[in-house]
Amino acid sequence: MSEFQFSNQEMSPGLKKIFKNIRSIITVVVLLIIAWSGFFQVGPEEAGVIVRFGKYTKTVMPGLNFKIPFIEQVYKVPVERQQKLEFGFRTTEANVRSQYTKSGTQDESLMLTGDLNLADVEWVVQYRINDPYKFLFKVRNPQSTLRDISEGAVRQIVGDRTVNEVLTVGRTEIASSVQQLIQELSNSYELGVKIDQVVLQDVNPPDPVKAAFNAVNEAQQEKETLINKAKSEYNKVIPRAKGQAEETIQKAEGYAVERVNNAEGQVARFNELYSEYIKAPDVTRQRIYLETMQEVLPRLGNKIITDQDGNNVLPLLQMQMDNVKKLNAPASAEGDK
Protein backbone atom coordinates (compact mmCIF):
# COMPACT_ATOMS: atom_id res chain seq x y z
CA MET A 1 0.00 0.00 0.00
CA SER A 2 2.80 2.35 0.82
CA GLU A 3 4.55 1.41 -2.47
CA PHE A 4 1.37 2.23 -4.46
CA GLN A 5 0.96 5.49 -2.73
CA PHE A 6 4.60 6.25 -3.36
CA SER A 7 4.33 5.41 -7.09
CA ASN A 8 1.09 7.39 -7.37
CA GLN A 9 2.82 10.33 -5.80
CA GLU A 10 5.70 10.02 -8.27
CA MET A 11 3.35 9.98 -11.43
CA SER A 12 3.49 13.00 -13.67
CA PRO A 13 0.49 15.33 -13.95
CA GLY A 14 -0.13 14.19 -17.59
CA LEU A 15 -0.51 10.58 -16.60
CA LYS A 16 -2.74 11.56 -13.73
CA LYS A 17 -4.99 13.41 -16.21
CA ILE A 18 -5.12 10.44 -18.53
CA PHE A 19 -6.08 8.03 -15.77
CA LYS A 20 -8.65 10.49 -14.57
CA ASN A 21 -10.33 10.71 -18.06
CA ILE A 22 -9.86 7.05 -19.01
CA ARG A 23 -13.63 6.45 -19.08
CA SER A 24 -14.20 9.29 -21.53
CA ILE A 25 -11.40 8.08 -23.77
CA ILE A 26 -12.81 4.55 -23.85
CA THR A 27 -16.25 5.94 -24.67
CA VAL A 28 -14.86 7.96 -27.59
CA VAL A 29 -12.94 4.98 -28.94
CA VAL A 30 -16.04 2.79 -28.78
CA LEU A 31 -18.07 5.43 -30.58
CA LEU A 32 -15.43 5.69 -33.29
CA ILE A 33 -15.43 1.93 -33.73
CA ILE A 34 -19.23 1.90 -33.96
CA ALA A 35 -19.22 4.73 -36.49
CA TRP A 36 -16.46 3.10 -38.54
CA SER A 37 -18.19 -0.28 -38.67
CA GLY A 38 -21.78 1.00 -38.78
CA PHE A 39 -21.74 3.49 -41.65
CA PHE A 40 -21.09 2.21 -45.15
CA GLN A 41 -21.23 3.53 -48.70
CA VAL A 42 -23.23 1.93 -51.52
CA GLY A 43 -21.97 2.70 -55.04
CA PRO A 44 -24.13 4.29 -57.75
CA GLU A 45 -24.56 1.01 -59.65
CA GLU A 46 -25.07 -1.15 -56.56
CA ALA A 47 -27.77 -2.05 -54.07
CA GLY A 48 -27.04 -2.95 -50.45
CA VAL A 49 -28.72 -6.01 -48.95
CA ILE A 50 -28.66 -5.97 -45.12
CA VAL A 51 -29.02 -9.19 -43.11
CA ARG A 52 -29.30 -9.48 -39.32
CA PHE A 53 -27.88 -12.72 -37.90
CA GLY A 54 -28.14 -14.16 -41.42
CA LYS A 55 -31.78 -13.16 -41.99
CA TYR A 56 -32.72 -10.68 -44.69
CA THR A 57 -33.74 -7.31 -43.27
CA LYS A 58 -33.90 -4.73 -46.05
CA THR A 59 -32.38 -3.43 -49.27
CA VAL A 60 -30.81 0.03 -49.31
CA MET A 61 -30.19 2.30 -52.26
CA PRO A 62 -26.89 3.96 -53.33
CA GLY A 63 -25.41 6.49 -50.92
CA LEU A 64 -24.37 6.61 -47.25
CA ASN A 65 -26.23 4.09 -45.10
CA PHE A 66 -26.04 2.67 -41.57
CA LYS A 67 -26.16 -0.84 -40.15
CA ILE A 68 -25.92 -2.10 -36.61
CA PRO A 69 -22.27 -3.00 -35.97
CA PHE A 70 -21.39 -6.63 -35.28
CA ILE A 71 -25.08 -7.58 -35.64
CA GLU A 72 -25.99 -6.70 -39.21
CA GLN A 73 -24.03 -7.48 -42.33
CA VAL A 74 -24.30 -5.86 -45.78
CA TYR A 75 -23.91 -7.44 -49.23
CA LYS A 76 -23.34 -5.07 -52.14
CA VAL A 77 -24.90 -6.32 -55.37
CA PRO A 78 -24.12 -4.63 -58.75
CA VAL A 79 -27.71 -4.25 -60.01
CA GLU A 80 -26.94 -1.67 -62.74
CA ARG A 81 -23.88 -3.38 -64.16
CA GLN A 82 -24.30 -5.56 -67.23
CA GLN A 83 -22.56 -8.87 -66.69
CA LYS A 84 -21.85 -11.65 -69.15
CA LEU A 85 -21.22 -15.36 -69.35
CA GLU A 86 -19.02 -16.72 -72.15
CA PHE A 87 -19.53 -20.15 -73.69
CA GLY A 88 -17.12 -21.89 -76.06
CA PHE A 89 -14.33 -19.39 -75.39
CA ARG A 90 -12.87 -17.22 -72.64
CA THR A 91 -11.55 -13.67 -72.78
CA THR A 92 -7.93 -13.66 -71.63
CA GLU A 93 -7.31 -9.95 -72.14
CA ALA A 94 -9.98 -7.30 -72.61
CA ASN A 95 -8.48 -4.39 -74.46
CA VAL A 96 -8.74 -2.55 -77.75
CA ARG A 97 -7.61 -5.79 -79.35
CA SER A 98 -9.01 -8.40 -77.00
CA GLN A 99 -7.54 -11.86 -76.86
CA TYR A 100 -9.49 -15.09 -76.49
CA THR A 101 -8.82 -18.75 -75.90
CA LYS A 102 -10.83 -21.91 -76.53
CA SER A 103 -8.79 -24.03 -74.17
CA GLY A 104 -11.02 -26.29 -72.08
CA THR A 105 -14.30 -25.08 -73.61
CA GLN A 106 -14.91 -27.71 -76.29
CA ASP A 107 -17.36 -29.67 -74.18
CA GLU A 108 -19.75 -26.75 -73.75
CA SER A 109 -19.63 -25.49 -77.36
CA LEU A 110 -19.84 -28.73 -79.34
CA MET A 111 -23.49 -29.77 -79.80
CA LEU A 112 -25.75 -31.90 -81.98
CA THR A 113 -28.22 -30.32 -84.41
CA GLY A 114 -31.65 -31.59 -85.36
CA ASP A 115 -30.40 -33.31 -88.53
CA LEU A 116 -27.72 -35.22 -86.57
CA ASN A 117 -24.80 -32.97 -87.50
CA LEU A 118 -22.26 -31.39 -85.18
CA ALA A 119 -21.78 -27.65 -84.75
CA ASP A 120 -19.29 -25.68 -82.68
CA VAL A 121 -21.36 -22.84 -81.18
CA GLU A 122 -19.85 -19.93 -79.28
CA TRP A 123 -22.23 -17.53 -77.56
CA VAL A 124 -22.46 -14.86 -74.87
CA VAL A 125 -25.26 -14.28 -72.36
CA GLN A 126 -25.55 -10.68 -71.15
CA TYR A 127 -27.65 -10.15 -68.02
CA ARG A 128 -28.38 -7.81 -65.12
CA ILE A 129 -29.40 -8.51 -61.52
CA ASN A 130 -32.90 -7.05 -61.08
CA ASP A 131 -33.73 -8.58 -57.68
CA PRO A 132 -30.77 -8.68 -55.23
CA TYR A 133 -32.72 -10.61 -52.58
CA LYS A 134 -33.54 -13.49 -54.95
CA PHE A 135 -30.07 -13.46 -56.43
CA LEU A 136 -28.46 -13.84 -52.98
CA PHE A 137 -30.84 -16.13 -51.12
CA LYS A 138 -33.10 -18.11 -53.48
CA VAL A 139 -30.37 -20.15 -55.21
CA ARG A 140 -27.15 -21.38 -53.65
CA ASN A 141 -24.90 -20.50 -56.60
CA PRO A 142 -26.84 -18.26 -59.01
CA GLN A 143 -24.08 -17.69 -61.57
CA SER A 144 -23.33 -21.40 -61.89
CA THR A 145 -27.06 -22.12 -62.15
CA LEU A 146 -27.47 -19.46 -64.84
CA ARG A 147 -24.57 -20.98 -66.77
CA ASP A 148 -26.15 -24.44 -66.64
CA ILE A 149 -29.54 -23.02 -67.68
CA SER A 150 -27.97 -21.16 -70.61
CA GLU A 151 -26.10 -24.20 -71.89
CA GLY A 152 -29.19 -26.38 -71.62
CA ALA A 153 -31.34 -23.79 -73.43
CA VAL A 154 -28.90 -23.47 -76.32
CA ARG A 155 -28.61 -27.24 -76.71
CA GLN A 156 -32.40 -27.52 -76.76
CA ILE A 157 -32.91 -24.80 -79.37
CA VAL A 158 -30.01 -25.92 -81.58
CA GLY A 159 -31.22 -29.51 -81.33
CA ASP A 160 -34.50 -28.44 -82.99
CA ARG A 161 -32.77 -26.80 -85.99
CA THR A 162 -30.86 -28.10 -88.98
CA VAL A 163 -27.15 -27.46 -89.31
CA ASN A 164 -27.76 -25.04 -92.20
CA GLU A 165 -30.09 -22.95 -90.06
CA VAL A 166 -27.56 -22.90 -87.23
CA LEU A 167 -24.68 -21.93 -89.50
CA THR A 168 -26.46 -19.41 -91.74
CA VAL A 169 -30.00 -18.05 -91.88
CA GLY A 170 -31.38 -19.14 -88.49
CA ARG A 171 -28.89 -17.51 -86.14
CA THR A 172 -31.03 -14.47 -85.27
CA GLU A 173 -34.08 -16.62 -84.57
CA ILE A 174 -32.00 -19.03 -82.47
CA ALA A 175 -30.56 -16.20 -80.36
CA SER A 176 -34.04 -14.76 -79.76
CA SER A 177 -35.50 -18.15 -78.81
CA VAL A 178 -32.57 -18.90 -76.47
CA GLN A 179 -32.98 -15.54 -74.73
CA GLN A 180 -36.69 -16.14 -74.17
CA LEU A 181 -36.13 -19.68 -72.86
CA ILE A 182 -33.33 -18.62 -70.47
CA GLN A 183 -35.50 -15.84 -69.08
CA GLU A 184 -38.40 -18.24 -68.49
CA LEU A 185 -36.15 -20.75 -66.70
CA SER A 186 -34.51 -17.99 -64.63
CA ASN A 187 -37.92 -16.75 -63.52
CA SER A 188 -39.00 -20.25 -62.56
CA TYR A 189 -35.81 -20.73 -60.52
CA GLU A 190 -36.18 -17.21 -59.02
CA LEU A 191 -32.64 -16.24 -59.92
CA GLY A 192 -33.47 -12.53 -59.82
CA VAL A 193 -31.78 -11.76 -63.16
CA LYS A 194 -32.95 -10.17 -66.40
CA ILE A 195 -31.46 -11.49 -69.65
CA ASP A 196 -30.55 -8.49 -71.80
CA GLN A 197 -29.20 -10.28 -74.85
CA VAL A 198 -27.92 -13.57 -76.21
CA VAL A 199 -25.28 -13.18 -78.93
CA LEU A 200 -24.05 -16.05 -81.08
CA GLN A 201 -20.42 -15.03 -81.43
CA ASP A 202 -19.34 -17.68 -83.89
CA VAL A 203 -20.88 -20.86 -85.26
CA ASN A 204 -18.65 -23.25 -87.17
CA PRO A 205 -18.60 -26.91 -88.09
CA PRO A 206 -16.07 -29.04 -86.25
CA ASP A 207 -12.49 -28.65 -87.45
CA PRO A 208 -12.19 -32.11 -89.12
CA VAL A 209 -15.12 -31.37 -91.46
CA LYS A 210 -14.84 -27.58 -91.72
CA ALA A 211 -13.39 -27.68 -95.25
CA ALA A 212 -16.27 -29.84 -96.53
CA PHE A 213 -18.84 -27.61 -94.89
CA ASN A 214 -17.25 -24.52 -96.40
CA ALA A 215 -17.32 -26.11 -99.85
CA VAL A 216 -21.01 -26.96 -99.46
CA ASN A 217 -21.78 -23.43 -98.25
CA GLU A 218 -19.94 -21.91 -101.21
CA ALA A 219 -21.90 -24.13 -103.58
CA GLN A 220 -25.17 -23.12 -101.95
CA GLN A 221 -24.24 -19.45 -102.13
CA GLU A 222 -23.34 -19.80 -105.79
CA LYS A 223 -26.66 -21.54 -106.36
CA GLU A 224 -28.51 -18.70 -104.65
CA THR A 225 -26.56 -16.17 -106.72
CA LEU A 226 -27.50 -17.89 -109.98
CA ILE A 227 -31.14 -18.15 -108.91
CA ASN A 228 -31.20 -14.46 -108.04
CA LYS A 229 -29.66 -13.57 -111.41
CA ALA A 230 -32.24 -15.70 -113.21
CA LYS A 231 -35.04 -14.04 -111.26
CA SER A 232 -33.59 -10.65 -112.10
CA GLU A 233 -33.55 -11.45 -115.82
CA TYR A 234 -37.05 -12.86 -115.55
CA ASN A 235 -38.24 -9.67 -113.87
CA LYS A 236 -36.67 -7.63 -116.65
CA VAL A 237 -37.93 -9.61 -119.68
CA ILE A 238 -41.37 -10.80 -118.65
CA PRO A 239 -42.80 -7.43 -117.57
CA ARG A 240 -41.44 -5.80 -120.75
CA ALA A 241 -42.99 -8.54 -122.91
CA LYS A 242 -46.28 -8.22 -121.04
CA GLY A 243 -46.18 -4.46 -121.54
CA GLN A 244 -45.52 -4.83 -125.27
CA ALA A 245 -48.33 -7.38 -125.57
CA GLU A 246 -50.68 -5.08 -123.70
CA GLU A 247 -49.66 -2.16 -125.93
CA THR A 248 -50.29 -4.24 -129.07
CA ILE A 249 -53.67 -5.33 -127.78
CA GLN A 250 -54.65 -1.75 -126.96
CA LYS A 251 -53.53 -0.57 -130.41
CA ALA A 252 -55.55 -3.33 -132.05
CA GLU A 253 -58.58 -2.50 -129.94
CA GLY A 254 -58.19 1.19 -130.82
CA TYR A 255 -57.87 0.37 -134.51
CA ALA A 256 -60.96 -1.84 -134.34
CA VAL A 257 -62.95 0.89 -132.61
CA GLU A 258 -61.78 3.42 -135.21
CA ARG A 259 -62.77 1.15 -138.11
CA VAL A 260 -66.14 0.42 -136.56
CA ASN A 261 -66.79 4.10 -135.92
CA ASN A 262 -65.78 5.01 -139.48
CA ALA A 263 -67.99 2.30 -140.92
CA GLU A 264 -70.89 3.36 -138.77
CA GLY A 265 -70.35 6.98 -139.86
CA GLN A 266 -70.26 6.00 -143.51
CA VAL A 267 -73.43 3.95 -143.10
CA ALA A 268 -75.15 6.86 -141.38
CA ARG A 269 -74.05 9.24 -144.18
CA PHE A 270 -75.20 6.80 -146.84
CA ASN A 271 -78.57 6.43 -145.14
CA GLU A 272 -78.97 10.21 -145.02
CA LEU A 273 -78.05 10.51 -148.72
CA TYR A 274 -80.41 7.73 -149.59
CA SER A 275 -83.21 9.43 -147.72
CA GLU A 276 -82.57 12.64 -149.66
CA TYR A 277 -82.25 10.68 -152.90
CA ILE A 278 -85.69 9.15 -152.40
CA LYS A 279 -87.14 12.62 -151.97
CA ALA A 280 -85.52 14.16 -155.10
CA PRO A 281 -83.44 11.72 -157.15
CA ASP A 282 -82.32 14.15 -159.90
CA VAL A 283 -81.29 16.92 -157.56
CA THR A 284 -79.49 14.55 -155.23
CA ARG A 285 -77.72 12.84 -158.08
CA GLN A 286 -76.57 16.21 -159.47
CA ARG A 287 -75.37 17.38 -156.04
CA ILE A 288 -73.46 14.18 -155.47
CA TYR A 289 -71.84 14.52 -158.90
CA LEU A 290 -70.80 18.11 -158.26
CA GLU A 291 -69.43 17.35 -154.81
CA THR A 292 -67.46 14.44 -156.21
CA MET A 293 -65.99 16.49 -159.03
CA GLN A 294 -65.14 19.28 -156.58
CA GLU A 295 -63.13 16.78 -154.59
CA VAL A 296 -61.53 15.00 -157.55
CA LEU A 297 -60.57 17.86 -159.92
CA PRO A 298 -58.02 19.53 -157.57
CA ARG A 299 -56.09 16.28 -157.56
CA LEU A 300 -55.72 16.13 -161.36
CA GLY A 301 -53.21 19.01 -161.71
CA ASN A 302 -52.79 20.90 -165.09
CA LYS A 303 -55.25 18.91 -167.18
CA ILE A 304 -57.95 20.18 -169.53
CA ILE A 305 -61.11 18.25 -170.22
CA THR A 306 -62.88 18.96 -173.58
CA ASP A 307 -65.57 17.43 -175.66
CA GLN A 308 -64.90 15.23 -178.65
CA ASP A 309 -64.30 18.07 -181.15
CA GLY A 310 -62.58 20.60 -178.93
CA ASN A 311 -63.11 23.35 -181.46
CA ASN A 312 -64.35 25.92 -179.01
CA VAL A 313 -61.48 25.40 -176.61
CA LEU A 314 -58.40 25.42 -178.88
CA PRO A 315 -58.45 29.16 -179.75
CA LEU A 316 -58.74 29.98 -176.09
CA LEU A 317 -55.76 27.78 -175.32
CA GLN A 318 -53.72 29.35 -178.15
CA MET A 319 -54.52 32.81 -176.77
CA GLN A 320 -53.40 31.80 -173.31
CA MET A 321 -50.14 30.38 -174.65
CA ASP A 322 -49.39 33.62 -176.60
CA ASN A 323 -50.00 35.72 -173.51
CA VAL A 324 -47.62 33.57 -171.51
CA LYS A 325 -44.89 33.97 -174.16
CA LYS A 326 -45.30 37.75 -174.20
CA LEU A 327 -45.01 37.93 -170.43
CA ASN A 328 -41.86 35.83 -170.42
CA ALA A 329 -40.13 37.62 -173.36
CA PRO A 330 -39.20 40.98 -171.64
CA ALA A 331 -37.90 39.16 -168.66
CA SER A 332 -35.58 37.03 -170.76
CA ALA A 333 -34.48 40.11 -172.80
CA GLU A 334 -33.54 42.01 -169.69
CA GLY A 335 -31.66 39.01 -168.51
CA ASP A 336 -29.62 39.03 -171.76
CA LYS A 337 -28.67 42.65 -171.33
Side-chain angles (χ1 to χ4, degrees), residues 262-278 284 287-288:
N262 291 336
E264 291 178 351
Q266 292 174 0
V267 170
R269 182 173 179 274
F270 179 81
N271 291 333
E272 292 177 357
L273 291 175
Y274 182 72
S275 300
E276 297 297 327
Y277 180 78
I278 294 299
T284 304
R287 184 169 64 84
I288 293 173

Side-chain angles (χ1 to χ4, degrees), residues 281-330:
D282 295 335
V283 176
T284 304
R285 188 183 300 112
Q286 184 68 21
R287 184 169 64 84
I288 293 173
Y289 173 76
L290 293 175
E291 290 177 354
T292 304
M293 294 305 293
Q294 185 179 1
E295 182 181 352
V296 171
L297 288 177
R299 302 178 185 176
L300 297 178
N302 296 326
K303 293 182 175 59
I304 298 173
I305 301 174
T306 65
D307 57 4
Q308 294 179 356
D309 297 332
N311 296 327
N312 298 327
V313 181
L314 292 176
L316 179 61
L317 292 175
Q318 185 64 35
M319 186 184 301
Q320 291 178 351
M321 294 297 294
D322 293 341
N323 292 332
V324 170
K325 289 179 180 180
K326 289 178 180 180
L327 292 174
N328 292 332

Side-chain angles (χ1 to χ4, degrees), residues 59-298:
T59 301
V60 295
M61 294 296 102
L64 186 63
N65 296 273
F66 179 79
K67 63 180 179 65
I68 301 174
F70 312 113
I71 296 177
E72 293 182 340
Q73 187 178 0
V74 61
Y75 296 95
K76 298 178 182 180
V77 182
V79 294
E80 297 295 334
R81 185 189 309 163
Q82 188 179 68
Q83 304 183 59
K84 68 177 182 178
L85 296 175
E86 297 173 340
F87 297 85
F89 69 100
R90 296 292 185 271
T91 301
T92 57
E93 182 179 353
N95 207 333
V96 178
R97 302 182 67 177
S98 301
Q99 297 181 3
Y100 308 95
T101 180
K102 288 182 64 69
S103 177
T105 62
Q106 291 291 335
D107 292 340
E108 64 186 18
S109 63
L110 196 63
M111 53 191 65
L112 189 67
T113 62
D115 54 354
L116 302 182
N117 285 295
L118 290 177
D120 189 8
V121 183
E122 300 175 2
W123 76 98
V124 175
V125 177
Q126 298 175 351
Y127 69 96
R128 297 177 190 269
I129 300 172
N130 61 352
D131 192 330
Y133 169 72
K134 290 182 179 179
F135 185 80
L136 291 175
F137 303 112
K138 288 294 184 178
V139 180
R140 184 182 297 275
N141 194 338
Q143 289 184 337
S144 177
T145 303
L146 181 59
R147 174 172 288 276
D148 293 339
I149 289 175
S150 301
E151 185 174 347
V154 173
R155 291 188 182 277
Q156 176 179 339
I157 299 299
V158 171
D160 294 335
R161 304 293 193 280
T162 64
V163 67
N164 289 329
E165 292 176 330
V166 176
L167 294 175
T168 56
V169 297
R171 296 179 59 173
T172 302
E173 181 186 357
I174 290 173
S176 177
S177 300
V178 169
Q179 178 181 351
Q180 182 178 358
L181 182 57
I182 294 175
Q183 187 65 68
E184 292 175 356
L185 293 173
S186 299
N187 294 339
S188 64
Y189 279 98
E190 296 184 324
L191 286 180
V193 297
K194 179 182 181 299
I195 308 301
D196 289 336
Q197 191 178 11
V198 174
V199 181
L200 296 182
Q201 291 287 98
D202 198 8
V203 182
N204 292 308
D207 291 336
V209 295
K210 184 177 292 185
F213 267 87
N214 292 336
V216 172
N217 288 333
E218 290 177 359
Q220 290 178 346
Q221 292 175 1
E222 185 177 359
K223 172 186 173 182
E224 294 295 330
T225 301
L226 294 176
I227 291 174
N228 292 332
K229 287 183 178 179
K231 289 182 178 179
S232 176
E233 293 297 326
Y234 175 87
N235 293 331
K236 290 180 181 178
V237 174
I238 297 303
R240 183 169 64 246
K242 289 182 179 179
Q244 293 175 351
E246 188 67 24
E247 181 181 2
T248 303
I249 292 172
Q250 291 179 357
K251 287 182 178 180
E253 291 177 350
Y255 180 73
V257 171
E258 181 182 1
R259 292 297 302 270
V260 170
N261 292 335
N262 291 336
E264 291 178 351
Q266 292 174 0
V267 170
R269 182 173 179 274
F270 179 81
N271 291 333
E272 292 177 357
L273 291 175
Y274 182 72
S275 300
E276 297 297 327
Y277 180 78
I278 294 299
K279 296 177 182 178
D282 295 335
V283 176
T284 304
R285 188 183 300 112
Q286 184 68 21
R287 184 169 64 84
I288 293 173
Y289 173 76
L290 293 175
E291 290 177 354
T292 304
M293 294 305 293
Q294 185 179 1
E295 182 181 352
V296 171
L297 288 177

